[in-house]
Every structure is written in structure tokens, then in C-alpha cells.
Amino acid sequence: MSYLIHPFISFLFFIILSSYHFGEQHLEDKISGSKVLKSMLYTAYGMLIFSLIFIENLKDVEVVMRNLTGKIIPNSWIETMLVTSSLLLITLTAYLFTRKVKPNIQIVRELFYVLLLYLVFKTSSLIFGFAIYFVLWHSIPSILDQTKFLSGGYTFKTILEYLKTAFVYWLISITGLVVAYYYLSESLFNSIIFIVLFAVTAPHVWVMNRMKQ
């Protein structure tokens, strides 16, 4: 409903909400502190990922934004998001290390991961780069968390049961994506991907938050 009322603001909200969710998935077990501090770290991490994807695919982002909202995100906004999220991550991480209980973060390893993701984004298209991040970096850990929640742990058997349960839904989704990819233009396909993500992100974040609680 909010998308129909104001598409551009709704898309920005989608980016912020997704940023928080991506950061939560990656950092939740690595940091401790107040909800406000963790929320800031989660959002900053996710916004860093989005800004790296966007800044290497500015033309594709412009096309998608025009198709979805009739407006574009100025390049200066993306550059500001990259700088701000980076500085915020550095500042908050440094603050965590000044506390008596240090976070379970391997700085060198995390920097290597970010560099690796940046190289992926730099050498791929907007959708392909996002798909690699979403599937390998986000979805697989999320599936393991869901399997652990549903079955009390993740073993070969419990993961296989999860995959069997989800198979029909995944098959329908993948079939729809393949059909859309072959019969729609690239720009329209990219836009539809983001529409689908926009539609499922909020309920998915709510369900995962309830699960983690």
C-alpha cells in the first residue's frame, strides 16, 4: 500500500529495512550490546553492502529506479551512503573494542569478505551481483538458522527435511524467474526482481525477528 502512495519513499524504506536485516544475519552472533547499538551496526553493514552494489552499477540502478518510482537516486546519495556507512562501522566497531567484553569479530577476515564482495559486484551486473550476495551470503546462513529453530539443530537429515519441504515453493519461484528472464527485457526483469524483493522483505524480516526472539 505504501508503495502505491509514494513509490520513491517506499523504495528507500525497503533499502533501510533490508540493510538492517542483512546486517542482523551476518553480525548477530558476533556482537553484543544494547538494541540501539546493534541496530545501528546492522543497518550500517547492510547499507555498506547496498552502496557497494549500487556504486558499481549506477546506470542499472537509475533504470530500475525510473521503472519503479519515476525518479532516481542521485549518485551523490549513493556516495554519501558508502562513506557514512563505512565511517559508522569503523566508529561503532572501535567503540565495541574499548568495552570490557570485546565483540567476536575478526577484523581482517571481515575486511577480506567485504573486499571479496566488492570484487564480485565490480565484475558482475546489478542483479547477478545481488543474487550472489543474497544466495551465498544471506540465504544459506538464514536457512541454517531456520533449520536449527525448527529441528533443534542442523544435521544432514534436518537440512534435507527442510529442503524437501521448501522444494515445491523454490521450484515455482525459479520457474517464474526463468520465464521472466527469457520473455522480458533486462531492465524490466531487473525491476520485477526488486518489486518481488520489496513485497517479501517486510514479512520475512518480521517472521525472522519473531523466530530469533
Side-chain angles (χ1 to χ4, degrees), residues 68-86:
L68 292 181
T69 70
K71 300 180 180 180
I72 64 170
I73 299 178
N75 294 349
S76 59
W77 286 23
I78 299 175
E79 294 168 357
T80 300
M81 183 168 67
L82 175 61
V83 173
T84 303
S85 59
S86 300

Side-chain angles (χ1 to χ4, degrees), residues 172-190:
I172 294 172
S173 301
I174 293 173
T175 302
L177 287 174
V178 170
V179 171
Y181 179 79
Y182 278 103
Y183 286 95
L184 299 177
S185 65
E186 182 179 354
S187 62
L188 184 56
F189 176 76
N190 292 348

Side-chain angles (χ1 to χ4, degrees), residues 29-44:
D29 297 331
K30 300 177 182 179
I31 61 173
S32 59
S34 66
K35 289 184 178 180
V36 173
L37 177 64
K38 290 193 290 186
S39 296
M40 292 174 65
L41 267 168
Y42 297 160
T43 306

Side-chain angles (χ1 to χ4, degrees), residues 16-84:
I16 295 173
L17 184 63
S18 298
S19 295
Y20 172 86
H21 182 54
F22 290 160
E24 181 185 37
Q25 180 65 56
H26 186 67
L27 298 175
E28 183 181 31
D29 297 331
K30 300 177 182 179
I31 61 173
S32 59
S34 66
K35 289 184 178 180
V36 173
L37 177 64
K38 290 193 290 186
S39 296
M40 292 174 65
L41 267 168
Y42 297 160
T43 306
Y45 178 85
M47 291 185 72
L48 174 64
I49 298 301
F50 267 112
S51 60
L52 289 175
I53 296 174
F54 288 171
I55 208 162
E56 290 300 326
N57 298 277
L58 292 174
K59 291 184 178 180
D60 289 339
V61 172
E62 181 177 336
V63 171
V64 169
M65 287 300 298
R66 286 193 184 280
N67 287 341
L68 292 181
T69 70
K71 300 180 180 180
I72 64 170
I73 299 178
N75 294 349
S76 59
W77 286 23
I78 299 175
E79 294 168 357
T80 300
M81 183 168 67
L82 175 61
V83 173
T84 303

Side-chain angles (χ1 to χ4, degrees), residues 139-185:
S139 295
I140 292 178
S142 179
I143 288 173
L144 293 177
D145 285 346
Q146 293 172 53
T147 303
K148 184 177 180 180
F149 174 76
L150 294 171
S151 306
Y154 38 83
T155 63
F156 177 79
K157 181 180 179 180
T158 57
I159 293 175
L160 184 61
E161 289 176 353
Y162 180 94
L163 296 178
K164 288 170 61 178
T165 303
F167 177 75
V168 174
Y169 303 100
W170 289 353
L171 180 62
I172 294 172
S173 301
I174 293 173
T175 302
L177 287 174
V178 170
V179 171
Y181 179 79
Y182 278 103
Y183 286 95
L184 299 177
S185 65

